[in-house]
Structure formats: C-alpha cells, structure tokens
Amino acid sequence: MLPVSQQDLTVLPGLDVLGNGNHRAAGISSDSQHQGIHTHYSAPIPPPPFTQFQRAAPAHGHKDVASAATSIVSLTSNTVLRTCHALSKAAVPFGALITPLPDLTAQSSPLLQRSPTACSACGAYMNAHCKVLMKEDKWLCSFCHQQNAVDIGVQDLRSAAELRVEAVDYIQQDMTGQPVNQTAETLAILVDTTAAASELQAAKTIIKQLLQQLPRAWRLMLLTFSSAVSVYQLGHCGLVTADVVSGEWQPAVTSSKQQQHAALPIHDPEPLHVASLQSCQNAAENIIDSWRSLGATRASREQPRCLGSALAVALHLLAASTQGGAEKADSYGSDSLPVPQACRPSRVLLVTTGPSTKGPGRVPLSNLDRGQGPDDPQAAKQAEQFFVRLAEQAGRAGVAVDIVAVGQAAVNVPLLGPLAQKTGGLISTHQRFDELSGASLASALMRRQGIKGFLDIHTSTGLRVTHVTGPITSLDRTNLSSNSMQRHSKPTMNACEMVSVETGQAVAMGLEVSRDLQGDYAFLQVCRRRYAMLRVQVVLSWRSLQGGWLQRVVTRRMSTTGSLHSLTTGTNWSTAAVLAGKHWVRQAQASGAAQKRKAAQHLRKQIGQHVSQLVSQAGGGPSTWGALTWLAPPPPAVLPPYLHSFVQVMYQLQRGPMLGEVAGHADERALLHARFLAASTPAALLMMAPALYLFSPATAAFQQVPALDLALGPGDTVVLDCGNQVFTRTGLASEPEAATSIHVKMEAFLGQLMHNRVPAPGVLRLHQDSPDVRYLATRLMPTYGDSPEEQQQQYPALLNLRPEQASASQQHVLPTDEPSFNQWARSLRINPTGAVDNIMEAMQSMSVKSELNRPTEDKPKDLQCNAVEV
C-alpha cells in the first residue's frame, strides 16, 4: 500500500451534535443517536452453525446490523470498477465518509470488554468477512490471507461478536490508571473589552448564563484584553483585583525558565487565578459586572486589541495550572510545553469583536481589505507563524481553543484558523450577541467525548487511500509508544491522529484502484470466486472522558464490476455529493480561493466540467433538443433522474457562499470552508443545499418546500436552514393575534430544528421589510430566467393556484443576472430532466395549462389528480 502524503492530511475543526442513547441487543436503528461509550450490551449473539471452513458473515436479514456499519463508514458505492484506467476516467466520486460518533439513539454495535484480535502479518483485526477454521482454531485474515491462531478459545469463538457484525466496539482499562473526567475541565474565558457598551453588556449577560450552565466542578479562569491583558484573581470575594500583562508580551523563544517568568509577572496561577465554579461563582459574577467598555473613540476594527498576547498568557497559565504550579512549566516558547499529567482537559473560549491590532500576531488592516492577497506579506507571514506556533504547543498540551467573533468587523479567520484546527476547537461568527445564548455556548464547550484519538485504515490489495480530510493531524511516528498508539501495534501508512473526538464530526476518505482487479490476480483460491471482494477496515480509538480506552472497528466490503452504468446507478449520491463537495472545498483552501476571486472562478469552471463529464458518462442518451443535421453540434446529454439531486447540489455549491459571490468577505468563506470540511453528512448537505420551510396557514405548521425564490412570496413566513446558520422571515399578518400565534409556532419549530445541534447555528430573525432579507434571498435558487412551464415543474405548488395567482407569484421573482439551474445545466450541454424541450412535452403542458384555467369544481376528478402529478 502506498503511503498517504502529508499534503493530503488536512486538519480541520468539527461541527458537533450531542445525543443520548438507550441500550438494546446487538441490533441498531438507522434513525437513532449514539453518544460516547456504553459499558455493556444486553444479550449475547447466538452462535452460528460453523462448519469446517465457513465464512462468519453477518446475516443479510438483519437491517440493524447493516445500518450500524454504514452509519460509521458510509461508502459512495458498494461496487468498484475492476480496472484502474476505467476508474480514473470515471467522474464518479469514490471514497467514504467516516463518522466516529454517528447520530444513533440506541446501541448500534456490541461492546466487548477485551482487546481486538489482530493479524500477525498486517495488523488488521478479525472481522465478519474472515474465514474461520474451527478444528484448527485459526482464522484467515481478509486482507493479507494470513492464518492466525485464535486466542479466545473455541467456545468463545462460536459466539464472537466480531464474526457476526461489521461494527464492533472494544473497551479496556486506561493504561495510565487515571480516569479522564470531563467535569474537571479547566476553562479560560477571554473577552474583548474594546466592544461598544451595549455589546459588552450583552456579552456579560451571556457569559453569566454560561457559568450557570457549566458543571460545578469545572475550574475557571477569567481574562480580558484591549491594549493590555488583565488576569483576574478569583480568590477574593467582594474585591476585584487583576494582574496586568503588557499587550506586547509574547512567549520567550529560549528555554530559560528564569527569562520566561521574568517576562510574565504571574508566578502562581493557583489558587488566585484558577478556581472551581462551586467556590468562585459569586466572585466571577462580580468580576464580570466590573468590566467596562473603552468607548467608541475609533472604529471597532481599529481599536487596540492584543489578541495574540491574551491567547499566549491564557495558554501559559493553563499549562502551568494543570501541572500544579508555574514552577513546573518549561518555557512556553520551547518545544517542551508541559502536557497535563493529571489528565485534566482544558479549553479556551475567546470572545472578540475584531482582529488583532496590537502585539504579536498583529496584521495591518490593509491586508484584510485586499481581495487578491495581503498588502504586507512579511507581516502576514510573521503573524501566521506566531499563531501556528501557539496552536502546535496548545495541541501538545491538550488545550482546545474555541473562538466566537461577534460584529461586523473581520477577525481574519484564515489567520486564526490553524489555532482552532490543530487544537480541536472551532470558530463561529455572529452579527450580534443576541444570536448567542449561554445554553448554546455551554453545549458547545461540553461537546468533546474523547481525547488522544487515533484513526487507521486497512485496505485490500489493489485499493489505495488517496487523501484523508477532516479533524485529524498527521501521526508522529517518532513517538509510537504514546498512549494513543499502545493499543495498535502495527499502524499503516494511512494512520493519523484525531485532535478531538466529538459527535457530528466526519472524516472524508478518498479511494482509488492501484492495479487492475481481473485475470489471475482476482482469482483467489481462498474465495473460490472469479473476482475478489475488496474490503476496507476503519479503526477508531480514543480515550473516553467517561473512563477507559475505546476501540471501534468497522469493516466494509465492496464487489467489483466492469459496467460503468452499474456503478453510477448503485452509487449513494448523498455521500458522493458530500465527498465531492469536500474535495472542491479542499481545493479552494489549497488555492486560496477564499481571498482570490480568480481562483474561485477557476474552481467553479472545474465543477461545471466535472458535472458535464459525469452526465455524459451516465449514459442518459441524447435529448430531442432539435433536428440533427450534419452541421449541427451534438445534442446535449439528458440528465438521468438519479443524478438530478447530485447535479443540483453541485450547482448550489458553486454559486453558494463557499465558492460563489454570496459571502461578502474572505473571513466568511474561510470559516465556511473550515466548518464544512469537518461536518457530518446532514450538516454538509445543508451547507451546500439549504432546506426551506414554509408556514402553511391551512395546517398551522411548517412544511418543507423546494429552496427556490418562487417560494418566497409576499406575506409568507419562512425558515431557511443553511446548516451553520438559520434565517427566519416573518410576513405581515392581518391581525395581532395571528402574528403572535405564528411567532410562537416558529419559535417551537426552531427549537425542534436545532435540537442537539452543537454548536447551535446562529439565528438571524428578519422581517418582511428588513433590508437584510437579501441575505436569505441569495441562498435560494433563482428561477428568473426560466419559462413559466419550467417554474411550475420546479415548484409544483403553482399548479394548485389559479392562473392570476400563479402569474402574480411568478412576477414577484426578483430580476437577476445569475443563471438558473436549468440555464446553468444547458451551458454545460446538459438537458435537465425537468425542462420542457420537445414538442410533445410542450403540447402536453399547454393542454394541462388550459384545463387549469377552469374553476376547480368543473374539473374532472382524474384531471385534478393528473394536474398535481405534472
């Protein structure tokens, strides 16, 4: 197997969803949630009737067993082309999405209190696709075909869960002997006091709500920053005191301990600066009430803000506090930043209203205004090196950094991105503080389920991993004896580390065929088949915050085919759309498309070429676009129905805020890139193609409708879910009581929509007359350039209206130069499935339209049904 290059390992933060679980037997449910670790499973799996040489495959009748593995490792297709040349020419995405903690409510896989059985040759684990020799007490590896002795006994082998299901969990005692308890986490809160008085007051209210939601055993540290850094002492009740550090302070590069402490005039962070919430709740609230704004003497982005120094001070004090004193901390500028030996996780919550304008990490404001790159490359490079160094050292110390940016000023997300990426934190931006709440921040801070994570991928001979993208980092192979590697003796070249283990995260894995899978190579005597079955095994392991070391082993199987049509029709296009989207966004990060418009335009062109190639290969056949002549160009390819949703998602991706012109600033695009690349399948699909919900007065409930500008009628109340942000628009109600009822129902619907979504998406509440409605309208697909027949086919609700009503709705569509989905598809020489392009369809549409002009009561019953179907 060829190794994965370091450039292919992309480190990104994650989007998280928390859930609760119930226990049941070895079955699972596809619509359930799964949180953390379960310490038992209720009933053993009945032993299969083994013969002398029999495959211990899972029963095909158990849908629960199949959904367990697919929820964790979702393949784009269960089939693969036999030749590498054919697969390289195919435009079908090939890979998988790995979700360490899927959204499952019941226990999805058996939990065994022992270590997995590994192959002595390749290190892969025993799984449901292995052959078993019962009399010889051996099993045959499904990856290298090595015979291995079974060390769990014949009686246990008959009921071994890993030989019955594709997904198995193993729980063991932690090697350190020290439990990791999330309730003992240390949190440092950094607040920017350069905000306006009203904004700072809102921030103080939210932070006090946050402290009330956190566990009482959590330890707290409070810091504020403007032109200097203030570290508050929590040991004094009724008296607010703080130690002030210069805004120009930065970690020493030397390893001299004396120089470090001489530069930072804080020697002992405990018990003055760090205390448990149970003991310092009143003191913390007094300190928060004492914060004062500097006043609006200049623009928000120009205020003196020593963001880099504040982060460096907080990280230094956290590392020192988890060691029991600053005298045990080495130089923060050296490579030997102390790692907490007490197994006490730490977090930093940074609340800022603008970029760093003073001290280390400062970037000239002119760099933020340029669309083609920084105005001062040298200053940008120095600032990037400073934050990357802090991120690396914080990651080694086990400190996660979460950044919340509020306001209209850009905070330079591309600069702060590595800080959150390499530490397992995240960045979120909000226009106003009222979009936040203490409960949502508390859920985001408590989202972590494990630390010291590890990911490895085993593949059959002939398969190769091309890239791994997500909340991971490259594996330090010089220190394979660390705690995260002691459970996995033979890591492959695909092995990497997970910066944190959180629900809702996903890792994208690309695959390719490295050699042809036919002829004598594919004829394996052990399989007794002409063509071999290919397998992929994903090994996930981490240290649970509930205690113990968890290993999750999932093995998936793929068959080979020589037909491209069989591959396209059997592809899971939802997974393929997310995998393709993450590929293009990863390309956008590499090319700097967030700041360079030409790079983004080039990517949009490449997406169109890829879609055109895919539709041509799908074999949709030529359309009846017009009469063919010898001089006429070839007719456009017909878009197959099973590809329509995939192509529509690609259209939304290339025009949306991540690659299009919707997002106005590079900060927004960079933030969306980071969030999207670590998001799970549901969240990633919403970020590419939002979901629109329209309030129906007839049913008094919200119903999902196509996300088209046609649906945004005057007076309608809608909710648009974009994954990371939710827009609401309330219409004009004739009576106050009706408006109040709609508002109550909308708030209840928002609660259901955002239940257990961590971090909670920001909610932007708009009124029909608000100028910010344009942000919602730009996320909807335009239909201005489509014919009335095409608009009716895309939005069938128009067929239920009278002609004058339908015409009025179509006239409310705002004019735009942006091409519609049908126009974009035709520019790629694709005939979209819903378009009316031949004479027969046009005549049928005209016939239906003439019948719709009649009153509803005069229509025949069968015609009414047919009209809705058209």
Side-chain angles (χ1 to χ4, degrees):
M1 182 185 300
L2 298 177
V4 180
S5 63
Q6 296 296 328
Q7 290 80 3
D8 291 335
L9 291 173
T10 310
V11 186
L12 295 162
L15 181 67
D16 315 288
V17 180
L18 296 178
N20 296 321
N22 300 321
H23 300 281
R24 78 174 179 185
I28 55 169
S29 175
S30 60
D31 59 348
S32 53
Q33 297 177 352
H34 188 175
Q35 175 184 5
I37 302 172
H38 302 282
T39 57
H40 70 279
Y41 65 100
S42 57
I45 300 176
F50 283 105
T51 57
Q52 166 64 20
F53 197 89
Q54 180 182 358
R55 178 182 303 278
H60 297 285
H62 293 281
K63 182 179 179 181
D64 291 346
V65 174
S67 61
T70 56
S71 298
I72 301 173
V73 180
S74 177
L75 295 170
T76 56
S77 177
N78 291 327
T79 59
V80 59
L81 294 177
R82 298 188 185 108
T83 62
C84 55
H85 176 73
L87 189 61
S88 63
K89 295 297 183 181
V92 181
F94 181 38
L97 292 175
I98 304 171
T99 307
L101 296 175
D103 190 14
L104 301 173
T105 55
Q107 177 160 344
S108 57
S109 55
L111 185 62
L112 309 179
Q113 297 185 5
R114 57 177 174 84
S115 60
T117 302
C119 176
S120 60
C122 65
Y125 292 136
M126 184 171 64
N127 55 81
H129 305 295
C130 294
K131 296 279 188 174
V132 178
L133 292 170
M134 294 301 300
K135 290 186 177 180
E136 300 180 13
D137 198 17
K138 292 183 178 180
W139 61 279
L140 196 67
C141 180
S142 57
F143 292 91
C144 67
H145 313 296
Q146 171 74 21
Q147 289 190 6
N148 299 274
V150 179
D151 55 357
I152 59 177
V154 177
Q155 296 298 327
D156 294 333
L157 182 62
R158 291 182 181 272
S159 60
E162 56 262 62
L163 295 178
R164 294 284 295 174
V165 296
E166 290 184 327
V168 182
D169 293 345
Y170 302 89
I171 185 69
Q172 304 169 68
Q173 185 180 1
D174 201 342
M175 284 187 171
T176 61
Q178 298 177 344
V180 182
N181 192 353
Q182 192 180 19
T183 60
E185 195 157 340
T186 304
L187 173 65
I189 300 179
L190 284 72
V191 179
D192 176 15
T193 57
T194 63
S198 58
E199 295 179 351
L200 184 59
Q201 183 62 37
K204 291 158 61 174
T205 302
I206 293 173
I207 292 176
K208 286 194 289 187
Q209 294 175 357
L210 168 64
L211 298 183
Q212 296 174 359
Q213 298 286 336
L214 294 176
R216 298 295 89 190
W218 272 39
R219 295 157 22 107
L220 180 65
M221 183 185 303
L222 291 176
L223 299 89
T224 59
F225 62 94
S226 53
S227 59
V229 183
S230 299
V231 184
Y232 290 90
Q233 298 182 6
L234 298 172
H236 301 286
C237 294
L239 180 64
V240 177
T241 58
D243 294 321
V244 180
V245 181
S246 171
E248 301 292 339
W249 183 87
Q250 60 179 322
V253 181
T254 63
S255 59
S256 173
K257 188 180 307 183
Q258 291 76 11
Q259 292 182 6
Q260 175 73 16
H261 290 294
L264 182 63
I266 301 177
H267 300 280
D268 190 0
E270 294 186 282
L272 295 178
H273 305 96
V274 183
S276 65
L277 280 173
Q278 186 175 3
S279 61
C280 71
Q281 179 76 37
N282 295 333
E285 292 183 355
N286 293 334
I287 292 173
I288 294 173
D289 291 334
S290 67
W291 294 345
R292 297 291 182 269
S293 175
L294 296 180
T297 57
R298 60 182 76 177
S300 175
R301 55 180 292 174
E302 299 176 358
Q303 293 281 2
R305 192 177 292 108
C306 57
L307 191 149
S309 296
L311 281 170
V313 171
L315 293 174
H316 174 80
L317 294 179
L318 283 174
S321 66
T322 52
Q323 290 292 320
E327 67 277 5
K328 297 182 180 180
D330 294 334
S331 172
Y332 196 83
S334 66
D335 294 334
S336 57
L337 182 66
V339 178
Q341 300 297 326
C343 304
R344 181 184 296 160
S346 303
R347 301 197 75 92
V348 171
L349 175 60
L350 172 66
V351 181
T352 182
T353 59
S356 176
T357 57
K358 182 179 180 180
R362 183 188 69 87
V363 174
L365 296 178
S366 58
N367 285 15
L368 305 178
D369 299 329
R370 292 179 56 86
Q372 302 296 329
D375 188 27
D376 189 351
Q378 183 65 23
K381 183 178 180 180
Q382 293 177 356
E384 180 181 2
Q385 292 175 350
F386 172 78
F387 282 107
V388 168
R389 185 168 65 251
L390 287 184
E392 293 175 350
Q393 295 168 344
R396 288 195 298 267
V399 181
V401 180
D402 294 323
I403 301 174
V404 177
V406 183
Q408 301 292 334
V411 297
N412 204 341
V413 173
L415 181 64
L416 299 178
L419 189 64
Q421 295 170 5
K422 294 187 178 181
T423 61
L426 55 89
I427 306 177
S428 61
T429 59
H430 307 272
Q431 292 187 359
R432 297 181 294 269
F433 276 99
D434 56 8
E435 299 180 13
L436 296 170
S437 66
S440 61
L441 285 179
S443 300
L445 292 174
M446 294 186 292
R447 69 187 183 273
R448 185 162 53 180
Q449 300 297 316
I451 60 175
K452 304 294 183 183
F454 171 73
L455 169 66
D456 200 0
I457 304 168
H458 296 268
T459 58
S460 297
T461 306
L463 280 182
R464 187 177 79 91
V465 178
T466 58
H467 66 272
V468 181
T469 303
I472 52 95
T473 184
S474 58
L475 179 66
D476 184 11
R477 298 183 179 273
T478 61
N479 189 21
L480 295 183
S481 61
S482 63
N483 188 35
S484 62
M485 292 299 303
Q486 292 179 9
R487 304 291 185 182
H488 200 78
S489 57
K490 293 184 178 180
T492 67
M493 297 304 296
N494 304 320
C496 53
E497 295 182 5
M498 295 185 292
V499 292
S500 67
V501 182
E502 305 168 359
T503 51
Q505 287 181 341
V507 176
M509 172 184 64
L511 295 172
E512 71 176 6
V513 176
S514 58
R515 57 180 298 181
D516 294 345
L517 305 174
Q518 58 185 357
D520 296 335
Y521 165 75
F523 182 76
L524 300 177
Q525 295 293 335
V526 66
C527 293
R528 305 293 184 185
R529 294 181 181 177
R530 180 62 181 169
Y531 296 103
M533 301 294 292
L534 302 178
R535 299 169 183 85
V536 175
Q537 185 177 88
V538 176
V539 180
L540 298 159
S541 59
W542 63 85
R543 228 177 133 191
S544 171
L545 296 182
Q546 287 77 24
W549 184 263
L550 180 72
Q551 285 182 284
R552 176 161 290 170
V553 181
V554 181
T555 309
R556 297 296 308 276
R557 180 173 65 178
M558 294 175 289
S559 61
T560 58
T561 181
S563 171
L564 181 61
H565 180 71
S566 300
L567 177 64
T568 55
T569 55
T571 298
N572 183 352
W573 288 107
S574 296
T575 303
V578 175
L579 195 67
K582 293 194 175 187
H583 165 76
W584 294 117
V585 173
R586 189 167 65 97
Q587 295 294 325
Q589 275 195 334
S591 61
Q595 295 178 321
K596 302 177 182 178
R597 295 184 177 179
K598 291 185 178 179
Q601 294 175 358
H602 180 66
L603 280 176
R604 292 195 291 269
K605 183 178 179 181
Q606 285 184 325
I607 292 175
Q609 295 174 351
H610 176 265
V611 170
S612 178
Q613 181 185 2
L614 177 61
V615 176
S616 300
Q617 293 176 354
S623 66
T624 57
W625 194 279
L628 292 177
T629 63
W630 291 103
L631 300 179
V638 176
L639 179 62
Y642 60 85
L643 274 179
H644 190 274
S645 60
F646 176 84
V647 176
Q648 197 172 69
V649 170
M650 292 297 102
Y651 165 73
Q652 286 278 59
L653 172 65
Q654 61 89 27
R655 69 169 291 271
M658 286 187 286
L659 299 179
E661 301 293 338
V662 176
H665 199 273
D667 268 14
E668 300 178 48
R669 289 187 288 270
L671 172 63
L672 289 173
H673 292 171
R675 295 280 294 272
F676 174 76
L677 286 171
S680 58
T681 301
L685 286 175
L686 286 174
M687 294 182 71
M688 290 189 292
L692 181 65
Y693 301 91
L694 175 66
F695 181 79
S696 174
T699 60
F702 282 89
Q703 299 177 354
Q704 186 171 0
V705 296
L708 302 170
D709 53 3
L710 283 170
L712 198 64
D716 291 336
T717 299
V718 298
V719 174
L720 183 66
D721 187 0
C722 301
N724 67 314
Q725 192 172 24
V726 176
F727 295 91
T728 66
R729 195 201 75 163
T730 56
L732 298 176
S734 58
E735 299 179 358
E737 295 181 357
T740 303
S741 176
I742 293 176
H743 177 74
V744 171
K745 292 183 181 297
M746 184 180 65
E747 292 298 327
F749 179 74
L750 286 176
Q752 298 176 1
L753 193 65
M754 298 188 296
H755 179 63
N756 284 340
R757 289 172 63 171
V758 179
V763 180
L764 185 58
R765 293 175 171 83
L766 307 173
H767 195 265
Q768 179 175 333
D769 299 332
S770 173
D772 292 339
V773 173
R774 66 184 187 275
Y775 295 119
L776 186 151
T778 54
R779 297 305 310 270
L780 302 176
M781 290 192 298
T783 58
Y784 177 73
D786 293 340
S787 64
E789 292 79 11
E790 292 175 342
Q791 292 180 350
Q792 290 177 358
Q793 289 184 344
Q794 295 179 80
Y795 194 62
L798 295 176
L799 297 173
N800 300 328
L801 303 177
R802 295 183 179 274
E804 59 274 9
Q805 294 175 338
S807 176
S809 298
Q810 294 169 346
Q811 290 177 0
H812 282 291
V813 176
L814 296 177
T816 178
D817 295 334
E818 185 181 6
S820 66
F821 171 72
N822 291 332
Q823 292 174 330
W824 178 76
R826 292 192 183 99
S827 68
L828 304 176
R829 301 206 58 79
I830 297 174
N831 179 13
T833 305
V836 183
D837 293 318
N838 54 47
I839 298 178
M840 292 298 296
E841 291 176 346
M843 292 179 61
Q844 183 180 4
S845 174
M846 291 174 62
S847 175
V848 172
K849 185 177 179 180
S850 63
E851 293 292 339
L852 288 175
N853 291 332
R854 301 182 188 176
T856 306
E857 57 272 14
D858 296 338
K859 296 180 188 176
K861 193 171 185 178
D862 55 346
L863 181 59
Q864 295 181 24
C865 298
N866 293 333
V868 176
E869 291 177 358
V870 173

